[in-house]
Amino acid sequence: MYKLLIVEDERWEREGLVEFADWAAMGIGAIVTACDGIEGLEKAIELEPDIVITDIQMPGRNGIEMARLIKERQPDASIVVLTGFDDFQFARDALRFRAVDYLLKPIEEEELLATMARVIRHCEETRRVRLEEARKARTYETGRRAALQRTFAALLAGREAGPEAEAAVGAALAAGRTGAADGPYAVWS
């Protein structure tokens, strides 16, 4: 299930968006609202939403600035901008942080439903890509560790000796260094 954050300063519009659709049927399980860009950013940090629907003109922090800050923290978040202002500058700013869509108020039901269907497909594709990247990283790490173990075993068994073997072990360790999870290594011969 996806998480949705709705940021809208007009209370009746915010509540209308919450009640607008059968969000659960779309795969959205958690819906959180905020009344301005400041509260929206705070809730985005806390919730880590998959989807953000935001107005642009709001008190405190506008939706464009808030969305930019959210995208810096969560590059995969899908942003949908709603606005009553037909201003090219706002649209251009939305494109800069890769908003999924830019909708003018008042919004037709069909338009918002089509946008949300597109956003859900985008979220599904993003999730699929991230899972595939994680699977490839695990496969690489498993192979790297197996190669390192073979190199160590050959060195310890005496099948490898001399500066070339030491260089091979050093290269294997340096090539796969990924951080503290690798742990310390020591070899005595």
Side-chain angles (χ1 to χ4, degrees):
M1 295 291 259
Y2 298 107
K3 296 175 278 186
L4 170 65
L5 172 62
I6 298 172
V7 186
E8 170 64 63
D9 62 325
E10 300 284 339
R11 182 176 155 227
W12 60 271
E13 287 189 31
R14 186 172 59 246
E15 291 173 0
L17 283 169
V18 170
E19 299 297 324
F20 170 76
D22 183 0
W23 297 108
M26 291 185 202
I28 297 172
I31 301 173
V32 175
T33 63
C35 63
D36 61 36
I38 294 169
E39 183 184 16
L41 181 60
E42 290 170 0
K43 290 196 175 179
I45 290 169
E46 179 184 319
L47 177 68
E48 295 185 350
D50 301 291
I51 304 165
V52 177
I53 298 176
T54 185
D55 190 9
I56 291 180
Q57 292 292 84
M58 296 180 290
R61 175 178 284 131
N62 73 34
I64 297 291
E65 178 65 16
M66 178 202 67
R68 185 186 63 74
L69 293 168
I70 290 171
K71 289 294 268 187
E72 284 176 6
R73 289 177 166 271
Q74 288 181 257
D76 291 341
S78 296
I79 311 285
V80 176
V81 176
L82 306 178
T83 186
F85 297 95
D86 190 7
D87 185 335
F88 178 72
Q89 181 62 39
F90 288 144
R92 192 174 79 183
D93 290 343
L95 288 172
R96 282 191 180 135
F97 67 76
R98 298 178 322 275
V100 176
D101 212 338
Y102 182 90
L103 303 172
L104 291 174
K105 296 177 188 175
I107 304 156
E108 296 294 323
E109 181 178 349
E110 297 80 31
E111 184 180 20
L112 186 55
L113 288 174
T115 294
M116 291 311 297
R118 214 171 29 256
V119 169
I120 296 296
R121 283 192 304 275
H122 179 261
C123 288
E124 289 168 350
E125 179 63 16
T126 299
R127 203 172 263 182
R128 186 193 65 72
V129 166
R130 294 294 177 246
L131 289 171
E132 181 63 18
E133 287 171 354
R135 185 194 63 75
K136 286 179 180 178
R138 283 191 308 274
T139 300
Y140 169 79
E141 182 61 17
T142 300
R144 185 191 71 81
R145 287 183 181 269
L148 187 57
Q149 288 173 345
R150 281 192 302 277
T151 302
F152 277 139
L155 180 63
L156 294 173
R159 293 188 304 265
E160 301 281 336
E164 297 85 21
E166 290 175 23
V169 170
L173 286 172
R177 181 63 64 193
T178 58
D182 278 349
Y185 295 94
V187 177
W188 290 276
S189 56

